[in-house]
Structure formats: structure tokens, C-alpha cells
Amino acid sequence: MNQHKLAQQFKSFYGEELLNIVQSSVSYENSFCWLKSITRKHRKAFHPVRHILFIHFLSASIDNFKDFLNIKYHPFGEAPFYCLNPAAVHYKERVLFDLQISICKDTKRPVGTFSCSCGFIFSRRGPDECPEDIFKIGRIKEFGYIWRDKLKQLVHHEKKSWNAAAKELNCDINTVKKYSSKRIFEENQCNQEKVEIVHKRVEWLALMKQYPEYSVTALRRMAPALYMWHYRNNLEWLKSTSPKQMVKNTTSKRVDWSKRDIQMLTDIKKAIIKLKANDRPIFINKSRIGKEIGCLSFIEKHLDKMPRTKEYLEYHVESREEFQIRRIIWACRELNENSQDVKKWKVKRLAGIRENVNKFVLIFMEKEISKYKEGVQNAENKTLAIFERNSEPSMAWECYIEEQSMVHTDWFYM
């Protein structure tokens, strides 16, 4: 952007008096001028008046300014372009698709490098200002195999003079002298790889033009061999020219945690009832409940956002010792119902109790076994009644120990 020229034309268009009235004066010397900032990539906000001034300066309106959004700047026109290789049969025909645009370091003007499938590569400085510019060549970077074969045919087979060959190929006579030597022709055999690259590039660009809405994956399925050739031999070019992956705009859905809390609480209550109704005791903890309802991640990560669910879980989940007590009660009942002797080793094996458990669990197991040995028929009912009266498992365990200690003080402190 020529900021000096822009500032001059902008002030000439509106006049300094009007710009001062709307507090939007411009100055080329001021590096923080709003006109410089609005024409660059910025992260600033500008007053609507300044947007309107700039839009009107561009001879547009607010209604049709959005129409310029999808318009791209083509300094050399749109593809296909003309091939300017005099030795090719498609000379001055629109068969060229490969165009690389760079910026001239001296003039800051666009420079287009055109590559044809015949191997002819040339460049010119843009932008094209008149229709005749599309047939101009600034610099020839590569003549290509067709041009070299034509030169060989004219000089070595048809025996034409260098001057006649230069006129037919539309080039300088020194160029003909340079490329007509046998040594140059032998060296040019090594440039066949470049020709192949150009040919493969044209194929890939033609495929992209034929299916502009396809992604890289879809194009790869259509021409897997062509894609793999570029991937192995021309990877950087393939990445720079292939369609870019579209970023999906995901809309964030806000969660109603109050509603989710009520639903989660209902599901957890049903899950606990189901787990307790199982014939064999199941450890009722947060992980097991979460897996039962299929919402383990919510319990692990978002439990603080559901206060009712959190309070209910903390009240009803059981500790490892409480689960071991339930297994002991169940093992004793199973052995008794199957008319087996309620012995310590049988209870430990059936309930999965090890030696390194809490001492209170071992005391409870000894006392539970002794009840069956003494022939107390209502031992199970009495024990379970304590747990049913207290909905909190830890409270049930404390009540049971307290009751037993009042009856058998010497047993509790043994």
C-alpha cells in the first residue's frame, strides 16, 4: 500500500476542513494515523464514521461493500494463461494453469512466474494494465524440452543458420548459439526431472480446478498415484497449493447444571438400589455408580457443579471396611443357608477377607461367626437392623460397635 499517495488522495477527496470537523484528519508523517492502521492487518477498532469515510472514498456504499468480500485480486488475470513458447503447437493458447506470484523487492510490484507442461517457464512483472501485456515475457527461466528439441531440429537436422533459427524461435541469436552446442544438449538431459515436475504440477492443478469443492483427502482418492508422486518428490509445493482444511465452527452448548443435577441424582438412586439388590455384594463407590449409569466422566470431572448429587454420593458410598463387613454378613448367611459350618476360614475365603484388613473388621467377623456357633437364629436380622436404621453406612458401623461394647465390654477391648 502506497500510504503517501493514499493520504494525498484521501485529503484531496474530502478536504482537510471536513476531516477536522469529524475528527478524522490524516497525516502521512504520523506513524499512528488511523488511515494507515485501517488499511493494514490490525487488531484495533475504528469509529463507524471512519469506516463510512473510507468506504465512500472507495466509491462504494455500506450495502454493496460486503460484495467485495469474496473478490480476489488477480494481477495477471485468471487461469488458464497463454503459453508463449514459440516451439510448442499450443503457442499463444490458454493451456497454462501453474502461476506463482511473488513481490519484487525493488518496486514492490507483483511478479508472476508461469510454468507450462511443455517445460517453458517465464516470468513478468505485473500487474497487467492492458490486453497486450498478457503476451509479454519479462524473463525466460527455462526453455523446456520442446523448445530444445525444436532448436536441435532446426540447427542439426534442417541445417538452418543461427539467425534463421533465432527468428523462428523468437529469441536472441546468442541464445541459439548457447543451446545449440552438443554439450548443452547432453546437460539438458539432466533437466528431464524438472520437466516431469512441471507436468505433474499441471495434472494436480487441473484436478483441483475440475473439483474445486473437494478436500485433499477426496482428491487423493481420485488420483492416488499422482498424490503419492508429489508427496515423495514435491511435498512443499503440494502443501502450499492443496486445498486448506476448513475449520468447523462449533457452537458451544451451555449445560443446565441444575437440570442435569436432578437427572443425575435420580439415575444414581436407581443405580444404588440395583447394586444393593444384587445377590453377591458389590462395592458401592463413585466409580462403580458412574459406570452403572454411563456417566463416569461427569462424576469425576463435574461433581462440584451438581451439589445435590455430590451430597447424596458422599452420604451413600461405602468405605472399604463397610464393604468388607457386608461381605462377611453375606458369607455367613450363604454358609448357613447351605447347611455348612460357619467357620472362620470358610468365611474369609468366601468373603475375600485377607489378614491385613482393619482390626475392627476382624473383630466383627469373629463376633458374627460366634453368633452362628451359639445358635442364635435372629443374629442376621439383628445385625442388619442396625444398618437399616442408619442410612449412613459409617454411622451403622459405629452404632453396631457401640451396642456391642455396651453388652460385651471385655470383647470390645480384647
Side-chain angles (χ1 to χ4, degrees):
M1 179 69 68
N2 189 333
Q3 295 292 345
H4 187 268
K5 188 175 182 180
L6 175 64
Q8 285 181 341
Q9 293 186 3
F10 195 83
K11 287 191 291 185
S12 176
F13 185 82
Y14 286 109
E16 294 186 4
E17 184 179 358
L18 174 61
L19 294 177
N20 291 330
I21 292 174
V22 295
Q23 299 180 1
S24 300
S25 59
V26 296
S27 175
Y28 172 72
E29 290 76 15
N30 184 7
S31 57
F32 299 99
C33 177
W34 70 270
L35 187 61
K36 291 183 178 180
S37 300
I38 205 171
T39 55
R40 295 170 176 167
K41 289 185 178 180
H42 52 76
R43 295 181 180 177
K44 299 179 181 179
F46 298 91
H47 195 278
V49 170
R50 294 180 174 177
H51 281 285
I52 295 172
L53 287 173
F54 193 72
I55 291 173
H56 185 61
F57 168 74
L58 297 175
S59 300
S61 65
I62 297 176
D63 294 330
N64 65 4
F65 194 68
K66 62 179 182 296
D67 298 336
F68 297 96
L69 182 63
N70 297 324
I71 297 178
K72 295 183 178 180
Y73 175 55
H74 300 284
F76 303 97
E78 296 186 5
F81 305 98
Y82 289 97
C83 177
L84 303 181
N85 183 5
V89 294
H90 53 256
Y91 178 53
K92 289 188 177 181
E93 293 183 6
R94 288 185 174 271
V95 296
L96 198 152
F97 289 93
D98 191 356
L99 169 63
Q100 300 293 327
I101 299 178
S102 57
I103 302 297
C104 178
K105 296 181 180 180
D106 298 329
T107 62
K108 305 300 181 183
R109 292 168 59 186
V111 176
T113 302
F114 303 83
S115 302
C116 185
S117 59
C118 64
F120 192 75
I121 303 175
F122 66 95
S123 65
R124 70 168 173 267
R125 187 180 300 168
D128 293 344
E129 298 178 352
C130 60
E132 292 76 15
D133 289 345
I134 59 178
F135 297 107
K136 290 183 178 179
I137 297 177
R139 177 170 170 259
I140 299 177
K141 295 186 175 182
E142 177 65 42
F143 286 96
Y145 66 98
I146 291 180
W147 188 93
R148 291 193 298 270
D149 290 345
K150 181 67 173 179
L151 176 62
K152 184 178 180 179
Q153 176 70 23
L154 294 174
V155 175
H156 295 280
H157 297 284
E158 297 181 11
K159 304 299 181 179
K160 289 188 176 182
S161 64
W162 288 341
N163 189 29
K167 287 182 179 180
E168 188 167 344
L169 295 177
N170 195 19
C171 64
D172 188 77
I173 190 172
N174 293 322
T175 303
V176 174
K177 292 179 181 180
K178 175 182 177 182
Y179 284 90
S180 61
S181 64
K182 293 183 179 181
R183 182 179 60 85
I184 295 299
F185 277 109
E186 292 175 355
E187 292 178 355
N188 287 335
Q189 297 300 322
C190 301
N191 294 330
Q192 293 300 322
E193 295 181 0
K194 294 183 179 180
V195 175
E196 186 179 12
I197 290 177
V198 173
H199 182 68
K200 296 292 184 181
R201 284 183 177 181
V202 171
E203 289 185 19
W204 182 254
L205 291 172
L207 186 65
M208 289 173 56
K209 185 175 179 62
Q210 186 177 359
Y211 304 98
E213 71 282 0
Y214 279 22
S215 63
V216 180
T217 306
L219 293 173
R220 178 180 179 179
R221 292 195 185 104
M222 297 188 65
L226 179 62
Y227 176 86
M228 289 308 300
W229 188 94
H230 280 291
Y231 185 84
R232 292 168 180 166
N233 303 282
N234 203 13
L235 181 58
E236 294 299 327
W237 182 88
L238 179 66
K239 290 182 178 179
S240 62
T241 57
S242 297
K244 300 297 185 292
Q245 184 177 4
M246 299 296 293
V247 179
K248 296 181 180 179
N249 296 325
T250 57
T251 56
S252 59
K253 299 180 179 179
R254 298 184 64 85
V255 178
D256 187 352
W257 288 108
S258 178
K259 184 177 179 181
R260 181 65 60 86
D261 189 11
I262 297 173
Q263 180 63 39
M264 190 72 67
L265 180 60
T266 304
D267 295 342
I268 287 176
K269 287 181 178 180
K270 293 179 182 179
I272 291 178
I273 294 174
K274 181 181 177 180
L275 292 173
K276 288 185 177 180
N278 197 289
D279 295 336
R280 191 180 184 90
I282 299 175
F283 189 22
I284 302 176
N285 59 356
K286 292 180 181 179
S287 178
R288 188 66 181 84
I289 295 172
K291 292 177 181 178
E292 187 69 25
I293 64 177
C295 296
L296 179 60
S297 61
F298 273 94
I299 294 178
E300 291 178 342
K301 300 176 181 179
H302 306 291
L303 190 58
D304 293 334
K305 299 177 183 178
M306 300 178 288
R308 297 180 182 177
T309 304
K310 182 179 180 181
E311 182 181 1
Y312 187 84
L313 278 176
E314 292 176 349
Y315 196 76
H316 286 83
V317 295
E318 58 185 356
S319 64
R320 182 64 62 178
E321 289 77 14
E322 291 165 351
F323 178 50
Q324 291 169 349
I325 289 173
R326 280 207 302 128
R327 294 209 308 267
I328 291 172
I329 296 173
W330 168 81
C332 292
R333 186 181 66 243
E334 286 290 311
L335 292 172
N336 186 55
E337 290 178 355
N338 294 327
S339 300
Q340 296 185 29
D341 294 336
V342 183
K343 295 183 178 181
K344 182 177 179 180
W345 68 270
K346 290 184 178 182
V347 174
K348 290 179 66 176
R349 184 179 64 180
L350 187 59
I353 303 299
R354 298 181 180 180
E355 295 295 337
N356 58 347
V357 296
N358 192 298
K359 64 177 182 178
F360 293 109
V361 176
L362 296 175
I363 294 172
F364 178 86
M365 182 173 59
E366 293 284 352
K367 192 63 180 177
E368 191 72 11
I369 294 172
S370 66
K371 290 179 181 179
Y372 283 93
K373 288 183 178 180
E374 294 171 0
V376 181
Q377 297 299 324
N378 61 346
E380 177 186 350
N381 297 333
K382 183 177 178 182
T383 305
L384 293 176
I386 299 172
F387 284 85
E388 292 176 357
R389 289 198 307 268
N390 300 276
S391 57
E392 186 178 3
S394 59
M395 186 182 297
W397 165 246
E398 294 174 359
C399 292
Y400 179 80
I401 294 298
E402 183 179 355
E403 182 177 320
Q404 294 300 324
S405 62
M406 292 175 63
V407 179
H408 302 286
T409 308
D410 55 342
W411 167 79
F412 183 72
Y413 292 103
M414 61 184 295

